[in-house]
Amino acid sequence: MRFSHVYVEKDVIDHPIAKKILNTLKRSVVIEIGRYGDFFNRPRQSYLMQKKSLNIILAKKRYDFIYKGSYMCEDFGIDEFYHTSNILNCIYSCDYCYLQGMYPSANIVVFVNIEDFFDEVDKLTKNKKIYLSISYETDLLAFEPFTGFLSMWISYAMTNKNLLMEIRTKCADPAFFESNEIPDNVIFSWSLLPQPVISMYEKLTPSIDKRILAIKKAIEKGAKVRISLEPIMYLEGFEKIYSDFIDKLHSELPLESIHDFNIGAFRMVKEQAKKIEKLRQASPIFCYETEIKNGVFSYKNDEYMKDFVYNEVLKYIDKDKVYVK
């Protein structure tokens, strides 16, 4: 993982995690800055140009550490649903990613003060149990080699029994599970889609075969694994592609060992969709019929798409283990 420039807030330049990252990125040009927002939130940035040559910003998170879970996300029937992220943006470049419609910059922001995140979770879980997703806005497993954040979160989860923690990922790193013990209150949620969809929409991400190998290793090592079949994307030959895909999962994974499944079609709030359509005018996303319902942008036939995938999954999985958003 290479970054030509590393921008470091002066308040964190001596933080142990900042030092570790800078030591890893010795070839990068280091520039000291005041507040990350002055650099990250500048107007008239080119998101797609930045994606071709990412920079990284090491910063301090000062407020708003934890957010209530969005209605756009699956809560698995848990009322106390929250999300947090001590990294903003992702190394992958998925056409459908909502982050490109939410942030003005594609550059990576790493909040090094992870101890303050833990303090906030301590406060929130003092008298109640919560479900916390820690990787909606990045892929922590993909960043693990040079941040170590995921191992720290897992170690923290071992100390907090009021916490149920979800880690979403597309990464294929089976070695992580060889060297880390995963407690019962941590769920790894792999985003899986058919290979034709990955090839069309999920640039720079591991293949489905590599993700399956990582899942098998995680299960072998006793980790709880969720399979997230979202966002379901449309393409020609949809039914055969998704039917073959579910059959492949059945033949190559021990589905009886999967904690649960969730299914959801491509969707995002309309304001983000408008920005992404301007960014990716040539993307196949916008070649098919879409519509806006209650402020949410999705395919016109999204209910059919979800139902089709749901029924394919039910050929092999008990419906009590399948959630549809």
Side-chain angles (χ1 to χ4, degrees):
M1 197 176 296
R2 294 183 179 180
F3 302 95
S4 62
H5 292 70
V6 183
Y7 297 84
V8 189
E9 284 188 351
K10 60 183 178 181
D11 286 354
V12 303
I13 202 160
D14 291 321
H15 191 285
I17 293 176
K19 287 182 174 180
K20 174 189 174 184
I21 293 172
L22 289 172
N23 187 58
T24 303
L25 303 175
K26 289 180 178 178
R27 295 184 179 181
S28 303
V29 177
V30 178
I31 300 173
E32 188 174 313
I33 60 175
R35 293 292 181 95
Y36 86 92
D38 296 337
F39 180 77
F40 186 72
N41 295 321
R42 291 175 302 163
R44 296 182 296 278
Q45 298 183 76
S46 174
Y47 192 97
L48 295 184
M49 286 296 291
Q50 289 176 346
K51 268 293 184 183
K52 295 177 181 179
S53 180
L54 288 173
N55 294 318
I56 187 169
I57 306 167
L58 307 184
K60 179 179 181 179
K61 182 74 168 174
R62 294 172 171 86
Y63 51 85
D64 293 340
F65 290 84
I66 302 172
Y67 299 88
K68 198 78 174 76
S70 168
Y71 70 94
M72 298 282 290
C73 302
E74 178 60 65
D75 60 16
F76 300 93
I78 302 172
D79 291 333
E80 296 294 336
F81 166 41
Y82 300 86
H83 70 94
T84 187
S85 186
N86 54 322
I87 298 180
L88 306 182
N89 278 327
C90 187
I91 60 170
Y92 303 135
S93 188
C94 300
D95 282 14
Y96 56 72
C97 182
Y98 74 95
L99 295 177
Q100 60 197 325
M102 189 165 80
Y103 294 134
S105 173
N107 289 318
I108 308 296
V109 179
V110 177
F111 296 118
V112 299
N113 55 320
I114 193 169
E115 65 280 357
D116 294 328
F117 285 80
F118 297 157
D119 288 344
E120 291 299 313
V121 179
D122 279 342
K123 294 173 188 175
L124 189 59
T125 57
K126 185 176 181 180
N127 296 308
K128 64 181 179 183
K129 294 180 179 292
I130 70 165
Y131 162 48
L132 179 69
S133 184
I134 65 171
S135 52
Y136 272 157
E137 297 177 17
T138 192
D139 194 318
L140 284 178
L141 185 55
F143 279 107
E144 180 66 6
F146 85 104
T147 67
F149 280 159
L150 189 51
S151 299
M152 296 178 207
W153 272 108
I154 288 171
S155 295
Y156 170 74
M158 290 179 176
T159 70
N160 189 337
K161 297 308 177 186
N162 278 345
L163 174 65
L164 175 62
M165 191 170 77
E166 182 198 53
I167 300 150
R168 293 212 162 197
T169 187
K170 293 182 175 77
C171 185
D173 181 14
F176 178 83
F177 300 94
E178 293 283 5
S179 55
N180 288 274
E181 180 184 350
I182 312 301
D184 286 344
N185 61 332
V186 171
I187 301 173
F188 276 82
S189 178
W190 260 277
S191 296
L192 299 184
L193 291 172
Q195 187 58 48
V197 178
I198 292 172
S199 299
M200 182 179 289
Y201 293 112
E202 294 189 350
K203 298 176 183 65
L204 307 179
T205 66
S207 68
I208 184 62
D209 291 332
K210 289 183 177 178
R211 294 185 215 183
I212 285 173
L213 288 175
I215 290 171
K216 290 168 77 171
K217 177 58 67 175
I219 292 171
E220 176 189 321
K221 293 298 180 179
K224 284 183 179 177
V225 171
R226 166 175 292 147
I227 290 181
S228 180
L229 304 175
E230 68 170 346
I232 300 172
M233 306 297 295
Y234 189 77
L235 71 174
E236 298 301 325
F238 170 83
E239 288 84 357
K240 177 168 174 49
I241 287 171
Y242 275 86
S243 179
D244 289 349
F245 167 59
I246 300 302
D247 289 344
K248 177 181 177 69
L249 296 185
H250 172 250
S251 65
E252 298 184 21
L253 283 173
L255 295 186
E256 69 281 357
S257 299
I258 299 299
H259 183 69
D260 56 25
F261 290 71
N262 76 283
I263 296 169
F266 164 67
R267 64 197 182 278
M268 64 178 62
V269 296
K270 63 180 181 180
E271 291 79 10
Q272 292 170 354
K274 287 178 182 178
K275 292 179 182 178
I276 294 171
E277 188 169 12
K278 289 180 181 179
L279 278 176
R280 298 189 181 271
Q281 295 179 10
S283 173
I285 291 175
F286 304 102
C287 294
Y288 303 107
E289 283 193 280
T290 58
E291 66 178 1
I292 296 172
K293 293 181 287 189
N294 301 317
V296 177
F297 176 91
S298 187
Y299 291 116
K300 200 166 187 177
N301 61 342
D302 63 337
E303 291 298 326
Y304 167 78
M305 294 164 65
K306 288 188 292 185
D307 287 346
F308 181 86
V309 174
Y310 175 71
N311 287 321
E312 291 298 306
V313 171
L314 290 191
K315 292 178 181 178
Y316 306 113
I317 301 297
D318 190 288
K319 65 180 181 180
D320 292 337
K321 292 177 68 173
V322 183
Y323 297 82
V324 181
K325 183 65 177 178

